[in-house]
Amino acid sequence: MQSPQGLNGKVIAVTPWLAPIVWEGTFDSFLIDSIYQQQNITIATTVFALGKYTTFLKAFLESAEQNYFVGFRVHYYLFTDHPEQVPAVKLGEGRQLTVLKVASSNRWQEITLRRMEKLEKLIESRLVNEADYVFSLDVDTKFYGRWGAESLGRLIGVIHPGYYQTSRKRFPYERRPESQAYIPAAEGDYYYGGAVIGGFVKDVYKVAKTCREQLDIDAAKSIEAAWQEESHLNKYFLYNKPSKVLSPEYLWQDFKPNTNEVKIIRFSQVIKNYAAVRPNP
Amino acid sequence: MSLRQNFLIILVFFGMVLSGLIYLNSNQTRCNQQIIEQVFIEPKWKLKNFGLRSSPGIFYNQPSALVGRTDVASVTSWLAPIIWEGTFDATLIDIIYKQQNLTIATTVFALGKYTRFLKEFLESAEQHYFVGFRVHYYLFTDLPEEVPEVKMGENHSLTVRKVPSLNRWQDISMGRMEILEKLTENELANEADYIFCLDVDTKFYGRWGVETLGHLVGVIHPWFFDAPRDRLTYERRPESQAYIPAGEGDYYYTGAAFGGSLEDVHHLTKTCREQMSVDAANSIEAIWHEESHLNKYFLYNKPSKLLSPEYLWRDINAGAAQIKIIRFSHVAKNNAEVRPNP
């Protein structure tokens, strides 16, 4: 009955509402793969690459093909305003990619906010018939290690790598009561990263729809939450708790040094020159 | 007419009658089949999408990814939570599950002298078991007149069902699977969301609440939570349907407590009942009876949640380092005295 070790430090493998927290050492990859292989599932994966963000696509897709749900049926849905810039990346067996053209925007905040709406519509129109699970991932990232069936569940959030040791009153939640994303100082479980949302198609639909509605209410009042849709996501996950939480192994930041607890980096945001890639400061 | 013509006429007549009978018979069979198909109703278990909703204004300690109980494993290698004191927040979990308007069915069997355990079982359950939630006990007994009067808390109710007496305690124990199979198939399908099946020679001493709910829930046997897999008392004879080879096995689960959703428990009890019938036809009885078959089932149909031995302990008077609270435990009994056979 030994407790799971992040190889050295001990980590907590379950939330107070009994959702597993997924760390290296808590699961058996072979066993978990064999359980899910029997279920003949399709995992939809959405990614947004607008404007200069198409430069991240090659590394994202190539590293995904090496590490992300290897051996499972994966369907990437790539939203871009520059379809001609989508690189040709060889996909493994059972995997496919669909490019969806969207309108350009001159504000990166606007691009990030519109993702929820696009996700909502994609699920309505296609994913309900085409996939069992859906993950929505940021594109300015790369896979460095296994991301597999251990990440599957009804509703999945990932703990933001910058805040897994922070007191809840210092989480960068939206703190203005005027915003729909408002969370008071005495509340909060974890600070979840907006770069990863996942789960059953139906459950991710509810996240996307609710966040989109809240974003629209805020927009009508000319208020933009501190971290855009990440703020709204955190509000959603506080009152609709994830059934499984991924440790920061599943969302790291390249510029951060490794820590005692995070022994393996699986997925990480690459170092980027904001001025070079964003359409506006 | 010649004799030959007569014979031919009779033959043709006979042939017509025969054809007629065959035709009518096949019509009848088709009718019967249609009737059977119309009457057989697919059991429809209530399937709610159970979100984990909470609301503003609920206060509890901040969860931590690094600080908490680290002396025990809180998750299996297939990522099913293992429930120990200190791994969950009772206030938070109660609030989440209250929103779901659940009914928890609970079965208990008290045949022959086992009725003597009922009073303490039920009274202690009313103190600790799913307090504040809707519970429906189904009490199976061959002696309904021996069922004690126990005051039920709000939203708790009890139904007594008479079952035939049996001469062998092993048969009583194993026979539960078939009764549970039928109960979960027909009756409970629209009445309960979850079901737990508990032994009666037991008592509650601490909280047993919604932290235990899940699709398929097994309880780690209190004598084996520390043992290596080759010392687990699985059925080891390949001739039995409960056979588990050396080198395989996750945990040793107790037969005294298991539960889950109606559909999952139905599948479990049906499979165990079927496997026990095959064994009986081959004149073999698994070493620990239905518990052996349960362990086989859980090996290849992994539980979605495990309860630590806090949830089924050996003896209230003897603890263990990892057991911070004894919630439910066997009570002392004199086997020779209560069992109908040795």
Side-chain angles (χ1 to χ4, degrees), chain B residues 118-245:
Chain B
L118 278 169
K119 190 165 194 296
E120 288 215 318
F121 174 88
L122 289 169
E123 280 178 352
S124 64
E126 286 304 292
Q127 296 291 313
H128 300 289
Y129 181 75
F130 289 110
V131 174
F133 289 84
R134 197 177 308 111
V135 171
H136 193 153
Y137 301 98
Y138 290 84
L139 204 162
F140 296 90
T141 181
D142 54 350
L143 298 167
E145 66 282 5
E146 308 251 322
V147 174
E149 282 285 329
V150 170
K151 183 157 169 36
M152 294 274 121
E154 195 183 330
N155 262 330
H156 282 212
S157 59
L158 185 144
T159 297
V160 179
R161 290 284 168 86
K162 190 165 153 72
V163 293
S165 304
L166 289 169
N167 298 342
R168 286 183 74 236
W169 67 265
Q170 298 90 337
D171 289 336
I172 293 172
S173 200
M174 295 191 295
R176 298 186 298 176
M177 286 297 183
E178 183 166 9
I179 294 174
L180 293 171
E181 179 193 351
K182 293 202 164 36
L183 184 73
T184 49
E185 178 172 26
N186 295 320
E187 266 199 69
L188 294 191
N190 289 315
E191 284 184 29
D193 302 287
Y194 293 100
I195 176 170
F196 276 98
C197 308
L198 305 175
D199 269 14
V200 74
D201 52 348
T202 50
K203 191 172 164 181
F204 290 90
Y205 298 92
R207 173 195 164 103
W208 179 310
V210 289
E211 68 282 359
T212 62
L213 296 177
H215 278 283
L216 186 63
V217 184
V219 181
I220 299 173
H221 195 294
W223 285 105
F224 295 100
F225 66 94
D226 250 349
R229 72 169 30 134
D230 288 335
R231 279 207 287 125
L232 300 179
T233 56
Y234 296 139
E235 173 56 61
R236 299 297 189 184
R237 293 166 293 173
E239 300 76 52
S240 166
Q241 300 301 301
Y243 169 60
I244 293 175

Side-chain angles (χ1 to χ4, degrees), chain A residues 165-235:
Chain A
Q165 294 176 94
T166 310
S167 150
R168 61 166 46 128
K169 27 187 220 297
R170 289 197 317 204
F171 286 161
Y173 289 149
E174 172 54 60
R175 298 300 190 183
R176 292 165 294 172
E178 301 76 58
S179 166
Q180 299 301 301
Y182 168 62
I183 294 175
E187 296 186 39
D189 300 322
Y190 306 95
Y191 191 76
Y192 298 98
V196 176
I197 312 166
F200 286 155
V201 168
K202 255 186 1 203
D203 289 75
V204 174
Y205 178 72
K206 286 195 214 128
V207 181
K209 185 168 151 71
T210 306
C211 287
R212 194 264 307 155
E213 286 166 349
Q214 313 273 56
L215 284 160
D216 284 343
I217 293 173
D218 270 11
K221 294 203 243 161
S222 303
I223 185 168
E224 193 175 276
W227 288 100
Q228 295 80 42
E229 91 267 24
E230 183 175 89
S231 305
H232 291 271
L233 182 72
N234 270 277
K235 172 101 178 217

Side-chain angles (χ1 to χ4, degrees), chain B residues 19 90 191 268 290 313 340:
Chain B
S19 309
E191 284 184 29
L268 181 165
E290 82 279 12
W313 189 239

Side-chain angles (χ1 to χ4, degrees), chain A residues 3 28 168 187 189 239 241, chain B residues 52 54 57 60 62 70 77 89:
Chain A
S3 142
D28 182 317
R168 61 166 46 128
E187 296 186 39
D189 300 322
Y239 302 123
K241 300 199 187 295
Chain B
L52 296 168
S54 111
Y60 47 90
Q62 180 179 350
T70 52
S77 58
D89 184 310

